[in-house]
Amino acid sequence: MEERQREEADRRFDEARKRVGARDPRDFYRKALRELRAVSPGGYEKAVAYFQEVLVPSIASGQAEPLHAWREYGRLIAELSAEGRT
């Protein structure tokens, strides 16, 4: 993942979030990732790989709607953290 790609994904996400007045979930997701790393290192690695290989590139390129993409990332973290359905 390139720094420019990350910056573009952040810009697009912040713009979409501000447009609808949505709260920023990234601090919550960071905390959830720390907890996931403690209980499931493999799950943590999957979440990080998804972030780097799917989430950021899809938002930066305009292929994914930023709010939807981040919501799906949160869902992935939840699924990797506990049994059950989201």
Side-chain angles (χ1 to χ4, degrees):
M1 175 177 55
E2 297 176 21
E3 186 61 28
R4 285 183 300 199
Q5 193 176 43
R6 174 76 183 265
E7 289 170 359
E8 179 62 14
D10 284 345
R11 185 192 68 74
R12 288 175 184 255
F13 177 60
D14 287 336
E15 185 178 276
R17 194 175 50 75
K18 289 175 185 173
R19 187 172 48 249
V20 298
R23 292 185 357 193
D24 190 337
R26 291 177 284 195
D27 284 337
F28 177 80
Y29 290 166
R30 285 184 196 104
K31 180 181 176 192
L33 283 168
R34 284 191 298 272
E35 292 171 4
L36 179 60
R37 182 174 41 193
V39 298
S40 176
Y44 172 79
E45 292 300 324
K46 286 179 185 178
V48 170
Y50 183 91
F51 176 85
Q52 294 173 340
E53 298 168 10
V54 177
L55 180 70
V56 170
S58 69
I59 294 172
S61 69
Q63 292 177 337
E65 193 284 317
L67 297 176
H68 176 75
W70 273 97
R71 183 178 60 240
E72 289 302 309
Y73 184 57
R75 217 167 77 138
L76 173 68
I77 293 169
E79 288 174 351
L80 293 170
S81 297
E83 290 186 34
R85 295 182 347 181
T86 56

